[in-house]
Amino acid sequence: MSACPNIRWSDSEFETENQQKIEYEGEYWICDAIDGAVQFLQGIYSYAMSLCLVRDGRPVLSFVYDPSHDELFYAVAGEGAFLNGKPIRVAAKEKLEEAIVCTTPPSFPAKDIEITDLTLRGINHIIPRAFAVRMLGSISLQLAYTACGRLDGYYEFGDEIYNWMAGALLVQEAGGVVSDRHGNSFIWGSSGIIASNPILHQNMKEELSAISS
């Protein structure tokens, strides 16, 4: 990026082992140029570009851009989250049976057998308890939709934290709570993600803990 020539870029999008700890000292960018590449290739409008600036191990600035609808979600640590310049907040629903939640299966289900099994068991458990469960493609876009209240919550199993980091900052700055799948702090090495408003997050955590291994 010509505006910030001295900031490094991570190339570990597909190297999940490198994602379990801070890659570089100081500042570096994490970018997914096409988050939802399958949808993009099929002409389905559920893909986005995500970008996150990490400073001293903490995400401090993030962008999620949806080119299909010309929507730019962005967040600045400590300063809030925004959609095309207007502040956004997470939804206020507190009961899972009234909530629309989303998730995403692993990219390589035949390879990630354990995560695939958890995903299937999670869906089987959550579907009867939620108002609706959907899979909308782009992970960062689903987290952005959670941040602006279009979705009530998002959860996912796995360990690909770079898929979640930009959207997680959006949710946190929009007044939401983001944790790993056990309800612990969302940090380097986290397993899975739960993102929602504080009360619904607690309900989702309790339900998901019933099926987590």
Side-chain angles (χ1 to χ4, degrees):
M1 184 180 291
S2 60
C4 308
N6 297 320
I7 300 179
R8 304 184 69 167
W9 290 80
S10 170
D11 59 0
S12 297
E13 179 184 354
F14 302 110
E15 301 293 337
T16 56
E17 289 186 6
N18 294 344
Q19 300 179 22
Q20 303 311 302
K21 60 184 183 303
I22 301 168
E23 280 196 84
Y24 306 115
E25 295 183 358
E27 296 180 324
Y28 64 99
W29 293 105
I30 297 168
C31 180
D32 190 342
I34 307 179
D35 176 18
V38 172
Q39 293 81 248
F40 173 77
L41 293 171
Q42 292 292 115
I44 300 170
Y45 299 131
S46 183
Y47 57 89
M49 176 181 180
S50 69
L51 181 65
C52 185
L53 178 64
V54 176
R55 177 182 297 148
D56 298 328
R58 295 179 58 250
V60 294
L61 174 67
S62 72
F63 303 90
V64 175
Y65 179 60
D66 175 3
S68 301
H69 301 96
D70 194 23
E71 291 188 329
L72 177 63
F73 301 84
Y74 61 95
V76 182
E79 298 184 20
F82 307 86
L83 166 57
N84 289 346
K86 297 181 179 180
I88 55 177
R89 298 289 294 179
V90 292
K93 293 178 187 174
E94 299 179 353
K95 297 180 180 180
L96 186 57
E97 59 264 31
E98 298 175 352
I100 300 173
V101 299
C102 274
T103 189
T104 301
S107 300
F108 305 100
K111 176 182 177 182
D112 300 322
I113 296 175
E114 180 181 352
I115 303 304
T116 300
D117 178 64
L118 280 171
T119 301
L120 292 173
R121 288 195 284 131
I123 291 172
N124 185 62
H125 185 80
I126 293 293
I127 280 181
R129 293 166 172 80
F131 179 77
V133 177
R134 296 290 184 265
M135 296 184 183
L136 300 181
S138 166
I139 294 169
S140 61
L141 196 55
Q142 291 176 95
L143 284 165
Y145 283 180
T146 301
C148 73
R150 293 176 183 171
L151 296 174
D152 299 301
Y154 181 82
Y155 74 92
E156 186 183 345
F157 299 100
D159 56 6
E160 299 183 35
I161 193 171
Y162 281 11
N163 284 342
W164 307 322
M165 192 162 288
L169 183 61
L170 280 169
V171 173
Q172 290 170 328
E173 288 298 318
V177 174
V178 180
S179 73
D180 71 6
R181 67 184 176 94
H182 301 293
N184 302 316
S185 298
F186 183 74
I187 57 174
W188 301 101
S190 289
S191 175
I193 184 172
I194 304 172
S196 187
N197 69 59
I199 295 177
L200 186 58
H201 176 277
Q202 178 67 23
N203 293 336
M204 292 175 65
K205 184 199 77 171
E206 291 173 357
E207 292 296 343
L208 290 168
S209 66
I211 57 94
S212 298
S213 64

